[in-house]
Structure formats: C-alpha cells, structure tokens
Amino acid sequence: MAKEFHKQEVAYDRDVHGISMGQAWTGLSADAANRRFDITLKEFQKAQTEAKAVASLLRDAHHQFSEVRKRLRSARADAIKARMAVSDEGVVSFDTTDLTEGERNALHHDPSYQESVGTAVTAWQDHLDQIVKDAEKTDHSVQTALNAVVIDSKGNDGTLEGFNGDAKDHLKDYKAAGKGGKKSGGWKGDGDFKLDWWSPSFSASADPKYGKEGSVKAAFDLIHMTGKGSLTNGDWKLSGIGDAYAGIRSSANYGFSDKGISGKAEMSAGARALMEGRAEYGDWGGVYLRGDGFAGAEAGISGKVNKDEVGVSAKAFYGAKASIGGGVEAAGIGIGGNFEVGAGTGVEAKFGVKKDEHGVWKLSTSGFAAVAVGAGAGTEITFDPNKFGKTVDSAADAVGLGGAVDSVGHGLKSTKDTVAGWLD
C-alpha cells in the first residue's frame, strides 16, 4: 500500500502540484491553491508512513501472539505431564484416569494427599490463567496501537482527519490511551482542530459541457478556526463541532444544465461563530443542540431546483444576531427548531428541501426581521432512509420472534420497502 501511495504522490506532484509552482499561474488564487496542494502532497507522504507503520504493527502483533500461544501450549503440555487434565475452556483438574488403587484410596481418605493434589491443581490453574492474562494484555496493546496509529496527531497541518505522519512501528510505542485520546475499552475519543489566518483566496470556473455553469468566489479570512470531536461507547456517541471566522467573503454562481438550474449571490463582512453538540444512540435516535452568532453585514439571494434539492432564500442584514436551536431524532426521523434574536436592521427568509451526500432528506424553513431589534424562528425536519430501514428491520426481527406476531414484522418491513420505493 505504501508503494501505491508513493506512485500517487509522484503523479500528484507532477500533474497537479507542479502547475502552481511554475510561472504560468500567479496571483492570490495560485497562492491559495499552492497551500492546499502542499497539504495534499504531504498527505500522500504521511499516508506512506502510516501504511508502513500499520504493517509493522501487524507483524509485531503476529510475533507476540505466536509467542504467547507457544507458551500456553507448552504450559498445558507440562500440566498434563504433571497428571493434570486441562479442558478446552482452560479449566484444570486432577487426572484420575491412570491412578493406582492405592492412589485412589489416598485421594478419598488421606487429607494430606488431598491437600497436595488441591495445591497442585491451584498452582497449574494460576499458571495457565496468567498466560491467558498476558495474551489479553497483548490483545489490548494491539487494539490500542491500531486505534492510535490512524489518528492524525497534528491539528495544525491543514486537515481535520488526515493521515498520521508520526506513526510508530512498534506496539510498545503506544501506551495507555494512545494518541488522540482513544482507549482500549469504555469511551473512545477522537478530535481535530484547524486554524488558518490571514488567508486570501480567489477562484473562478466555468463548465459549458452540458449548458452554462460558472462560479466566482473571493474571500479574505483574518482568522478561521474549526474544531470537532466525538466520544463513543458501544451504540452511544457524543459529538460536537465548532467553527468561527472573521473576514470578508463573497461568491456568485449559476448553473443551467441537465442536472437542474441554480443561482446564488451573497456577500458578508464580519464575524460568525457556530457550535453544535449531539448525543445519539445507534440508529434508534438522539438529540442535538445548536447555537450560532453573527456580527457585521450580509446580503444574498439564491434559488435551486434539481432532483436532489429545491430551495429559495433571501437576506439583507447589518448588526448582530444570535440563535439557539435543538431537536430530537427517532428511527431516522428528526424534528427540530430554532429561535433567533438580533439588534440591527434587516430581513431573512429561507425554504428548502434537500437530499445530502449521505442520502438524508431535510426540509427547513426560517424567517427573521429586525428594525433596531428583531426576532425570528425556524423549523427543520429530517429523514434518514438508512437509519429508518435499520430500525424497522430490527423492530421487525424483534416482533417476529414470537411466531404469533410474525405478520407485524412482515408489515413493518413492507412499510420500509414502500417508503424506500416512494423516495426512489
């Protein structure tokens, strides 16, 4: 795998990264592209380090597992030679199959002989149990290492979930929780942080293959911070994300093709911050809480119609505003809302139905108005067919166990198939 990543590194360096290093492309967009191309090139290099480290860890694990298995087999053989019986589950007992008549009589009537036999059984049991514990420790060390080796330990390398360029080659290099806060048991954590500052960018594109499509984007971020993290324990997952920036941003794009029609233009100057926290339990459901704030001036209008999205929005506002929202989700169906207050002047309205890259449908509406002071509110309804299907299947299997309620299980699965067909 490292060799294949090296091939891709060479190709990327030659065919992509190289175009921003020459004299044919200069300016803010070239500088911005070069920084991002550098990040990607380094990721190809770090991917090789991580792949080699994983291979080394697997070899190390194989060696240690082989050694502990040899010890266990040898100890079991020694126990049998010492006239012990060892079950497939590792339980040690005194082997009475080849006892002489005198030994059998002593085993039943001689307390000292009984005590010596009991002491020997306990000693061999403890010896085998200790080797098994050593095997468990090795297993946990392998788990800790494999969890940690894929965590990007540097939060300032331009990626949120990149490859680990500092990956180590040996199990002993990963202790306790390992990197990234992951533990071998209980709650496991993961997180990343990204910081950019004084970052200008500009891009323009057009693609006339299937109609007219184009976009122009320009931005100057004084500072941009993004962080996210999660904790998992079995089916439980706690996650959070935060994003904040200050600067000037503007964009305009239009599209008219076989995919649909779209148009958007917006500009903002100021500072914005967003935070969101979620608590989820498998595919069954969860809750979320979200808050964001904005101070500055913004204006925009947009519209889109295609097979995955229908939406319109318009806004014009200067001042400061903040909102808080939350919601609940069960079996892939989520319902939420938000409330917004502000000091300034402006209006905002939004309506949209959208299917994202994960196949989740979302219906959202919101409105806001302010003259000196103002307020607004919004709602959102989400539907995740994947979670809905898994939950229905689980429920159908559960009620189907009773025999008499098989029809309920079939009915649930039929409902899931009907909904899936309707969405298609």
Side-chain angles (χ1 to χ4, degrees):
M1 184 177 291
K3 291 179 181 178
E4 292 301 318
F5 273 127
H6 178 67
K7 293 178 183 178
Q8 297 303 317
E9 176 200 351
V10 172
Y12 185 85
D13 189 24
R14 180 188 64 235
D15 300 329
V16 180
H17 185 271
I19 67 174
S20 66
M21 301 297 290
Q23 300 300 317
W25 186 18
T26 60
L28 291 177
S29 60
D31 292 340
N34 181 248
R35 286 197 301 272
R36 282 152 179 78
F37 292 167
D38 278 342
I39 292 171
T40 303
L41 184 64
K42 290 177 181 177
E43 284 300 299
F44 277 118
Q45 296 166 352
K46 293 196 297 180
Q48 297 170 55
T49 300
E50 183 178 308
K52 292 177 181 177
V54 171
S56 180
L57 290 175
L58 292 176
R59 294 188 190 99
D60 196 359
H62 178 267
H63 173 73
Q64 293 198 28
F65 282 136
S66 297
E67 289 299 313
V68 76
R69 184 172 62 175
K70 290 178 182 178
R71 287 176 53 206
L72 188 59
R73 287 178 172 174
S74 176
R76 182 178 183 273
D78 290 342
I80 293 175
K81 290 178 181 178
R83 304 178 72 177
M84 298 294 150
V86 183
S87 71
D88 291 339
E89 291 75 26
V91 178
V92 179
S93 60
F94 187 53
D95 188 355
T96 61
T97 55
D98 296 326
L99 291 181
T100 64
E101 190 62 32
E103 290 172 330
R104 289 183 184 276
N105 186 60
L107 183 61
H108 287 91
H109 303 290
D110 186 347
S112 61
Y113 187 70
Q114 294 171 354
E115 183 179 356
S116 65
V117 169
T119 300
V121 169
T122 301
W124 282 109
Q125 184 70 70
D126 291 343
H127 182 50
L128 292 174
D129 287 347
Q130 184 57 52
I131 298 176
V132 172
K133 289 179 182 179
D134 292 342
E136 290 176 346
K137 289 181 181 179
T138 299
D139 187 46
H140 286 309
S141 70
V142 173
Q143 181 188 21
T144 297
L146 292 180
N147 278 337
V149 70
V150 296
I151 302 300
D152 184 1
S153 59
K154 293 183 178 179
N156 61 351
D157 62 357
T159 64
L160 289 178
E161 293 183 349
F163 290 101
N164 185 5
D166 295 324
K168 307 300 181 184
D169 295 336
H170 302 290
L171 296 176
K172 64 181 181 181
D173 295 325
Y174 299 89
K175 302 294 184 182
K179 295 183 180 178
K182 287 205 170 190
K183 299 181 179 179
S184 58
W187 288 94
K188 300 177 182 179
D190 193 8
D192 270 302
F193 177 78
K194 179 182 178 182
L195 174 63
D196 286 324
W197 60 87
W198 207 258
S199 176
S201 63
F202 175 81
S203 66
S205 65
D207 185 357
K209 293 180 181 178
Y210 300 104
K212 295 183 177 181
E213 298 179 352
S215 68
V216 177
K217 296 181 181 180
F220 182 77
D221 287 342
L222 296 176
I223 187 171
H224 187 188
M225 297 181 292
T226 301
K228 66 177 181 178
S230 65
L231 289 171
T232 58
N233 188 354
D235 288 328
W236 281 104
K237 180 178 181 180
L238 306 178
S239 60
I241 185 171
D243 184 90
Y245 76 87
I248 301 173
R249 296 184 174 189
S250 63
S251 66
N253 60 61
Y254 65 92
F256 185 75
S257 67
D258 59 339
K259 299 178 181 178
I261 59 175
S262 65
K264 179 179 180 180
E266 64 179 10
M267 181 174 183
S268 68
R272 186 184 300 275
L274 166 71
M275 295 188 69
E276 179 180 284
R278 288 180 175 269
E280 300 169 286
Y281 184 78
D283 297 318
W284 291 95
V287 296
Y288 69 88
L289 185 65
R290 180 188 304 134
D292 69 79
F294 173 78
E298 60 179 355
I301 185 171
S302 68
K304 180 176 286 189
V305 178
N306 60 42
K307 66 182 182 67
D308 291 329
E309 182 177 0
V310 176
V312 292
S313 69
K315 61 183 177 182
F317 173 79
Y318 68 88
K321 58 183 178 178
S323 69
I324 186 171
V328 296
E329 179 188 314
I333 301 173
I335 300 176
N338 70 284
F339 179 71
E340 190 170 22
V341 295
T345 302
V347 295
E348 181 177 351
K350 178 182 178 181
F351 171 84
V353 180
K354 181 180 180 180
K355 178 184 179 183
D356 67 16
E357 65 273 16
H358 303 296
V360 179
W361 288 92
K362 179 179 180 180
L363 167 65
S364 60
T365 63
S366 64
F368 174 84
V371 179
V373 294
T379 60
E380 63 180 26
I381 300 173
T382 59
F383 179 70
D384 189 333
N386 184 45
K387 287 186 177 180
F388 179 76
K390 290 181 178 179
T391 305
V392 169
D393 285 341
S394 297
D397 292 338
V399 299
L401 294 176
V405 289
D406 271 349
S407 59
V408 178
H410 291 309
L412 286 171
K413 290 190 175 182
S414 177
T415 300
K416 183 202 74 170
D417 294 338
T418 300
V419 172
W422 177 76
L423 286 173
D424 288 340

